[in-house]
Amino acid sequence: MSELSPQQTWQAALGELELMLSKANFTTWFKQTTVTSVGDGRVVIAVPTDFTKNYLEKKYHAAILKSLQNVLSVPLKEVTYVVDPRLEGRRGMLAGAPSAEPAAEKLSLAPPPPKEPVNEYGLRPSYTFESFIVGKGNELAHAAAQAVAEHPGQKYNPLFLYGGVGLGKTHLLHAIGHEILKTRPGTRVLCVTCEQFMNDFINAVRAGKGKELKDRYRNVDVLLVDDIQFITGKKETQEEFFHTFNALHQANKQVVLTSDRPPKAIATLEDRMRTRLEWGMMADVAAPDLETRVAILKSKCADLHALVPDEVLHEIATLVQSNVRELEGALTKITAYHQLKNSVPTLDSARAMLSGFSAQSSKKSLTARALISTVANYFDLTTEDLLGQSRAKKLSHPRQIVMYLMREEMRSSYPAIGTELGGRDHTTAMHACDKITRLAEADEKLRTDLALIRERLFAGG
Ligand code: ADP
Ligand code: MG
């Protein structure tokens, strides 16, 4: 791989990033980037605005490091970002590339970048009922979502949608919001993630603006909350959520929640809240069957304006079974490659390109044990060191990294993290996650550590 030009290197890294991120995020943040130099393990990436620079540094630095290291033949030493306003409005990979690699065309495939990932209601424009394929696995959830969209506040309240990752829960949640706004313009719809709700609450309390927050959340007609399993034990937050929920419910305002598991399996949820959620309608979303997966692929091909033979779609649907997000990723990868080569995907090329796909899915099977021992190894410590009670800095820092990665990579709840780490309190886990998040923003060394640990975690399955 040593002969890759800087452009090709970045192109290859982008290919990896595309698989790691949602389409909207990838397009928004990476479409207009280019590379200005790659040498001696130092990479300089040019971006159109300060805003993008900050965002990449903050949110995607680790992912960028990881993807670059995967394609570079020398150890990666440093990645820096520079602002080049000329990139704005251009396809990044074309800028400053005198040889105009055909590879540059790859990014033009993505649909035009959504200026904002979500609209003023918190809804992602593309997540509508029209773009949702109904099939075995999601029929019930889809029917319940439609019923709620037709009769908000009257039919199933709350509606609780749950199921594994990448199966369309968020899509359905947003579709409800879009449909209500379409049929009843002027309805006050608010869609937030659980994390946003908690942050809003914490910030409002800090700023002494509790009342504004209450007004904001209680004056809506439809409240959509995504990923409620992330609600933490923090008493005031749950309290606020409980009261918000009750106020809306009593006023016959519609509430819809999603979660990766049913209420009874959300350990951090207070009992009274759990009971409330169980009053309503619960619908689970399961993985789509083969026929539905093929139908989803066909519909995505139409979106991408890509021509893929049926037998190839069938093959992709057979190879990628885990979830719809990965299915989309697989299709994007294959169509991108063939549009670049100006050829039509074949069975063989699809198989070859999807051979790496299992590495991606292995992420789901990461266990706490594996994570703890990887971090211990990385810092030349033992698992016992990390599970033990000593608070020496040499141990507490790696321990906090474990907690942070359990949260980020395994989406573990804070109490679960505490338990895995030798029976610590959930507030310790929360503190650790906050702290590492904060430190990583300023500390290059920490970001590199995190990237390298992630690489060890996910390398080779
Ligand atoms: P979840 O919230 O369950 O993790 P998402 O709603 O984010 O999953 O779905 C992941 C991706 O798969 C999204 O891009 C979504 O549009 C797509 N998707 C999921 N289910 C379907 C479906 N039935 N039809 C079309 N696209 C789907
Ligand atoms: Mg989701």
Side-chain angles (χ1 to χ4, degrees), residues 430-445:
M430 278 173 75
H431 170 72
C433 296
D434 273 0
K435 184 164 167 204
I436 298 295
T437 308
R438 235 179 330 103
L439 285 179
E441 283 177 15
D443 184 345
E444 175 84 37
K445 159 93 170 57

Side-chain angles (χ1 to χ4, degrees), residues 3 7 75 83 113 118 163 213 224 281 302 312 321 364-365 371 394 457:
E3 320 83 21
Q7 271 72 29
V83 177
V118 296
L213 179 95
L224 309 169
M281 163 82 171
V312 176
Q321 308 189 351
K364 313 270 135 41
S365 58
L371 200 157
K394 174 172 159 280
L457 285 173

Side-chain angles (χ1 to χ4, degrees), residues 271-417:
D271 284 338
R272 57 179 185 172
M273 192 64 226
R274 184 171 309 139
T275 316
R276 291 287 192 286
L277 295 182
E278 287 171 349
W279 281 348
M281 163 82 171
M282 289 201 269
D284 74 321
V285 192
D289 63 353
L290 181 66
E291 197 187 326
T292 312
R293 294 201 296 279
V294 173
I296 291 173
L297 286 174
K298 283 197 173 149
S299 128
K300 305 279 171 197
C301 277
D303 292 348
L304 292 168
H305 303 294
L307 192 77
V308 184
D310 279 354
E311 59 168 9
V312 176
L313 291 181
H314 195 273
E315 183 67 13
I316 300 172
T318 307
L319 289 172
V320 184
Q321 308 189 351
S322 48
N323 72 51
V324 183
R325 195 183 317 247
E326 296 209 340
L327 200 59
E328 282 182 346
L331 181 69
T332 312
K333 185 173 177 183
I334 289 166
T335 52
Y337 177 80
H338 284 279
Q339 292 199 353
L340 184 73
K341 296 266 170 201
N342 214 350
S343 60
V344 174
T346 63
L347 274 180
D348 283 343
S349 72
R351 282 183 193 134
M353 255 183 286
L354 294 185
S355 62
F357 233 75
S358 50
Q360 270 273 313
S361 352
S362 72
K363 206 165 175 161
K364 313 270 135 41
S365 58
L366 179 65
T367 63
R369 293 288 119 178
L371 200 157
I372 294 168
S373 88
T374 305
V375 174
N377 247 313
Y378 183 85
F379 289 102
D380 287 323
L381 300 167
T382 66
T383 303
E384 290 71 39
D385 287 337
L386 293 184
L387 299 183
Q389 296 305 315
S390 161
R391 294 180 179 205
K393 174 114 203 290
K394 174 172 159 280
L395 303 181
S396 64
H397 180 66
R399 200 178 279 142
Q400 290 176 332
I401 288 182
V402 171
M403 298 192 207
Y404 169 83
L405 288 171
M406 279 185 73
R407 181 77 178 166
E408 291 280 305
E409 301 298 335
M410 301 170 57
R411 310 211 138 189
S412 304
S413 70
Y414 293 122
I417 295 173

Side-chain angles (χ1 to χ4, degrees), residues 169-170 226-227 325:
K169 301 180 299 292
T170 301
D226 206 6
D227 288 322
R325 195 183 317 247

Side-chain angles (χ1 to χ4, degrees), residues 127 131-134 138 164-172 226 296 300 324-325 328:
Y127 285 5
S131 63
F132 191 84
I133 305 292
V134 186
N138 62 33
V165 80
L167 297 180
K169 301 180 299 292
T170 301
H171 191 136
L172 280 176
D226 206 6
I296 291 173
K300 305 279 171 197
V324 183
R325 195 183 317 247
E328 282 182 346

Side-chain angles (χ1 to χ4, degrees), residues 146-156 184 254:
Q146 281 211 313
V148 160
E150 273 167 38
H151 309 282
Q154 297 164 39
K155 197 92 187 206
Y156 306 124
R184 299 160 200 251
Q254 180 69 48

